[in-house]
Amino acid sequence: TAAGNRTVHRPANLAARAAMVLRDNDTGTLVTASPRLYPHMWSWDAAFISMGLAHLDVSRAVQELRTLFSAQWHDGMIPHIVFTGDDDYFPGPDRWGTDDAPQRPHNARTSGICQPPVHAIALRRIIDTARRTSEADAGIAEDFAREAWPALRRWHGWIARHRMSEACGLVTIVHGWESGMDNSPRWDAPYLAVQPDADLPPYVRLDTLKVDDPRQRPSDDEYDRYLWLIEQLRRAGYYPDKVVETSAFLVGDVFVTAVFALASETLADIGAELDAPASEIAELRSWAGRARDAARRSCHPETGMARDYDVHTGTWLDTESLAAFSPLLCGGLPTETEQRLFDTLDGPGWSGHPGLLAAVPPSVSPHSGDFDPRLYWRGPQWPVVIWLFGWAFEQRGWQRHASEFRAQGVHLASDGSFGEYYEPFTGEPLGSPNQSWTAAVVLDWLC
Ligand code: 9YW
């Protein structure tokens, strides 16, 4: 069936197509983030992909996380990219220069930064899916949860130890890529302080060659800053404390903080089911509590919108991005503030904007001066982020909001192209088609 110019697939057909995307992008041990644009494994993509795979084959789903965890650094960091050997992506492992870092993993080449810690959430989802499928699948998922417990604890411990800022309590990031929302206007001000000098080795971008329109990607000026930060990280030898000390970009990220709180609490619950030691569970809950408190304290006193914090300048960053709703992921707000945030989220500046094809929040409010409906993290809708909020709403007992996000998310993706992101007014798929994590969350919504 067709609606206007847009093809719309029925649920069963859409699910079959999503499964095909995951199969086509599968190299055997890992599913690449997308077929052409991103021929490697990305950390938070792998988490979403694994819970999509759980609907097809639970063993294959746990293999995805196993591949990622096997590339964990000796200090506990889960790297943001695990490289496959395909050299058609820039910056690749040589540019990262991680081979010289003593704490790198020995069996994989990786980048030297991290991404939002959604992995425990994916594990939770895999266990829940497997338990609904069969006893055998439940056993596979639970065995894997036991196997993965130490890796996940070390990962959360790394964040707690190296990234919980004394200045603001938020989890800090040292590169916009660590936020997962690379060129979000959230980072415009902090990036002004990142000034590449003549030492920046020359490079050629490959990403802009692989999308229909390079204007849907970050600018060259932004890429210079991204690459300059890599230069700084490399000079700091990727030692976590030295990195934090020397990076020109050091920002408390409220979205990563809320994800960390939610994931730590989720991991603690998994631990309780597995009879993990009480002290380990308590430690996770205390990290969750600290992160939740920091997210709450970041909220603007009048609007209730959560904010990031530029550690170098000591300033709160008010940007009208979806991250402003982060405390809804992890809780901890007074009821009144929470209600105000929900009203704003449902209102005309966000999901309730009358022009949207699907009533889910864009990455930046269409009412903001920073909004650009076609540019990456500066306006388009991103199905994975919608999934994450929807899942959190369900955990928190907000069923109506959860099912609304699910239905509208499916509506957005019903053209079956599995775009990386979507133009919010027309639903045009942008960036890479057949993006794995989009297929994975659509599959999860439909199953
Ligand atoms: C890049 C893979 C990644 C995501 C990020 C997204 C983008 C990579 O793609 O970054 O080279 O621009 O911003 O969140 O993990 O899907």
Side-chain angles (χ1 to χ4, degrees):
T1 55
N5 286 332
R6 215 169 161 262
T7 305
V8 174
H9 292 279
R10 275 187 229 97
N13 196 356
L14 190 62
R17 292 174 75 93
M20 210 150 61
V21 168
L22 293 179
R23 218 167 19 241
D24 287 349
N25 295 347
D26 192 350
T27 66
T29 46
L30 66 85
V31 174
T32 59
S34 63
R36 281 189 72 228
L37 186 58
Y38 307 130
H40 304 289
M41 170 180 259
W42 263 260
S43 166
W44 74 323
D45 296 58
F48 290 107
I49 290 167
S50 70
M51 53 171 236
L53 289 171
H55 295 289
L56 307 173
D57 177 351
V58 173
S59 303
R60 182 63 193 82
V62 306
Q63 177 58 49
E64 194 68 10
L65 290 180
R66 194 178 276 131
T67 300
L68 178 67
F69 296 164
S70 73
Q72 183 168 32
W73 283 38
H74 297 308
D75 59 14
M77 182 182 77
I78 299 215
H80 110 290
I81 303 177
V82 182
F83 292 107
T84 54
D86 186 316
D87 58 9
D88 197 20
Y89 174 83
F90 181 84
D94 292 333
R95 182 69 178 216
W96 281 96
T98 40
D99 290 346
D100 300 329
Q103 63 284 27
R104 78 184 191 284
H106 289 289
N107 52 346
R109 302 189 81 194
T110 76
S111 70
I113 55 171
C114 61
Q115 268 192 327
V118 292
H119 313 88
I121 296 168
L123 180 58
R124 170 83 272 166
R125 188 70 193 136
I126 292 173
I127 297 172
D128 292 348
T129 300
R131 282 181 181 160
R132 286 201 329 249
T133 316
S134 70
E135 231 169 85
D137 278 350
I140 294 170
E142 287 161 15
D143 285 348
F144 176 71
R146 274 184 209 96
E147 172 191 326
W149 173 259
L152 281 166
R153 271 195 67 241
R154 288 203 308 124
W155 166 220
H156 283 235
W158 182 89
I159 295 172
R161 205 163 43 250
H162 300 294
R163 295 299 187 83
M164 291 191 92
S165 162
E166 278 170 23
C168 58
L170 296 173
V171 175
T172 50
I173 57 171
V174 297
H175 196 300
W177 285 345
E178 289 200 315
S179 72
M181 305 185 184
D182 310 2
N183 72 338
S184 171
R186 298 165 70 193
W187 318 131
D188 288 356
Y191 266 126
L192 289 178
V194 181
Q195 293 292 344
D197 64 28
D199 291 352
L200 179 66
Y203 67 94
V204 179
R205 286 179 70 170
L206 298 175
D207 60 314
T208 41
L209 307 175
K210 298 187 195 174
V211 289
D212 290 343
D213 180 357
R215 284 172 302 184
Q216 295 167 14
R217 298 278 313 168
S219 68
D220 286 344
D221 180 58
E222 284 167 315
Y223 253 73
D224 277 353
R225 294 171 203 261
Y226 300 162
L227 270 298
W228 181 242
L229 287 176
I230 294 181
E231 217 41 44
Q232 291 194 325
L233 290 158
R234 184 186 171 128
R235 288 176 193 177
Y238 294 103
Y239 289 108
D241 293 331
K242 183 132 191 239
V243 159
V244 167
E245 254 165 55
T246 56
S247 179
F249 183 104
L250 187 64
V251 183
D253 178 325
V254 73
F255 174 76
V256 168
T257 305
V259 166
F260 180 64
L262 175 61
S264 296
E265 205 67 74
T266 304
L267 188 56
D269 293 343
I270 294 173
E273 286 172 25
L274 301 177
D275 292 323
S279 61
E280 297 182 359
I281 295 171
E283 185 172 52
L284 283 162
R285 298 215 196 273
S286 85
W287 294 334
R290 274 165 62 195
R292 234 182 349 253
D293 284 349
R296 173 178 44 76
R297 283 196 308 268
S298 83
C299 292
H300 189 285
E302 266 128 53
T303 62
M305 304 289 268
R307 295 172 295 174
D308 303 303
Y309 183 83
D310 188 337
V311 177
H312 286 322
T313 59
T315 43
W316 290 104
L317 304 166
D318 298 272
T319 315
E320 289 175 272
S321 90
L322 189 45
F325 299 99
S326 299
L328 297 179
L329 294 171
C330 63
L333 294 184
T335 320
E336 209 178 286
T337 319
E338 196 155 73
Q339 191 52 50
R340 190 148 28 124
L341 265 192
F342 255 122
D343 292 345
T344 308
L345 184 61
D346 292 341
W350 293 93
S351 309
H353 189 290
L356 299 180
L357 176 89
V360 288
S363 44
V364 171
S365 169
H367 291 175
S368 160
D370 295 320
F371 177 75
D372 179 331
R374 308 180 68 80
L375 184 52
Y376 213 36
W377 290 99
R378 304 182 76 92
Q381 289 159 322
W382 287 73
V384 271
V385 183
I386 305 304
W387 183 93
L388 191 62
F389 275 95
W391 184 81
F393 293 166
E394 194 164 347
Q395 304 309 300
R396 307 206 49 218
W398 299 321
Q399 300 307 336
R400 188 178 58 81
H401 269 99
S403 46
E404 185 67 4
F405 268 40
R406 189 183 313 119
Q408 292 294 314
V410 168
H411 177 46
L412 180 65
S414 58
D415 67 321
S417 64
F418 305 103
E420 188 182 2
Y421 39 100
Y422 290 82
E423 209 278 1
F425 303 124
T426 62
E428 184 189 346
L430 302 172
S432 171
N434 299 324
Q435 180 82 4
S436 300
W437 67 0
T438 306
V441 300
V442 171
L443 198 53
D444 192 68
W445 276 328
L446 291 171
C447 286

